[in-house]
Amino acid sequence: MAINTKTTGNNNNDIALSQESLIKFYKTVREFSHTLAEPLEIEDYIVQSMPDVSPTKWHLAHTSWFFETFVLSKAIQVYKSPNPQYAYLFNSYYVQAGERHLRPKRGLISRPTVEETYRYRNHVDESMLQFMENANDKEWREFSSVIEIGIHHEQQHQELIVTDIKHVLSENPLNPEYINNQNKGRSSHKPEDIEWISFEGGVCNIGNEGEGFGYDNEYPLHKVYLNPYKLGSRLVTNAEYMEFINDRGYETPEIWLSEGWATVETNNWKAPLYWQQSGGEWMQFTLAGLRKVEPNEPLTHVSYFEADAYARWAGSRLPTEAEWEVAAESVQIEGNFVDNMNFHPAPLEKSNGLPLKQMFGDVWEWTQSSYSAYPGYKIPPGALGEYNGKFMCNQMVLRGGSCATSKSHIRKTYRNFFPTNARWQFMGIRLAKDGD
Ligand SMILES: [Fe+2]
């Protein structure tokens, strides 16, 4: 099936948020962090199960530190932090913002307590709301865009709260539940076979046009040349990935990248993260505890290496990020986001009548594109320039958001990025092929 593609970049946000709507956005997002933490026991807040994972308490504090550092301490001369040492404890990687605590040691910090951390959040919220509600034109011009970044930054950390707590709980042999929603969003409906959707390619524009919010790494809008290509109509399912496993996919070095094969051997990978065999059946740890792998759900928790090897085994390849973005032109931003509170990818129920399905939500889709600067990209000045630009090395781009992403956070131009061996995010596979 061939569909026409527009040749412009895209963005789903409205133009420049007003003072009133930014305050509302701030309140909603800050409150949602508390909603996500609500099912946790106090002991869950502290654990760091691997260096990539941060404790929930740290996420709650760090997102407040962001507003304190980049807004309050600059905008309000008399602003006083509840504890000036939080600037050291809760700085993540901003070298220009000063010295910071070591990332792998975040799980060793039992103080401030969880209660003190919530008091810190309240203090920041009161100060932020007072500032936002009383800001004059000059102050608003200077700080509104930073506040907007801070809100989107908190949404990114909300996704990490979900994926990090999943990793934390998965380390516990009791298989604790984060939420009791075992059957929510589950279905035994077998999706239709993958259909190959054709795109003409040619000279296309990708990148953010500048209407509404976007991170610096989505700019500038620029031209790319694409050969004709095809995208799989839906995500790869667990059932399809089981065929790969049963066909000795994890034991066939010739389908793996060299570094991927070394990673498989070193880590003894035999299945996606969170999968385990029990009584001859594949089980997977989910945020609703341990349950049978549902064949019709989208596959998740695979690395770039596994996605790449699977695609090769399946006689196809992964899409480039430009192919993905141009194809997304024809799709509405709808899907299984964290707003649904499923906390798990959902099977494709029935056709929505559109050729491309599951482009947004469920799982981030690995692309074969290295995370690097778009032509003309400039790292913004100051500490906030460290947000994205300094990570443009040794990582691959993922597109489309996941079941842990907020709908108001994702865009067609959004570029997520992770190292090739990362698996703890909700990461999955959409296949691509060269066109005719
Ligand atoms: Fe951060």
Side-chain angles (χ1 to χ4, degrees), residues 58 62 66 92-94 153 157:
W58 186 89
H62 164 72
F66 191 98
S92 51
Y93 55 66
Y94 296 88
H153 169 255
H157 279 276

Side-chain angles (χ1 to χ4, degrees), residues 194 232 234-237 240-241 244 298-311 314 316-319 358 363-367 398 426-432:
I194 289 177
R234 60 163 171 78
L235 297 168
V236 168
T237 63
E240 288 162 340
Y241 199 77
F244 168 76
L299 168 75
T300 188
H301 297 304
V302 286
S303 64
Y304 176 78
F305 292 136
E306 288 159 301
D308 174 79
Y310 176 86
S316 51
R317 62 172 173 81
L318 298 176
Q358 299 173 307
V363 296
W364 287 100
E365 302 176 20
W366 282 110
T367 74
L398 301 98
F426 287 96
M427 298 151 155
I429 306 174
R430 179 182 304 272
L431 297 175

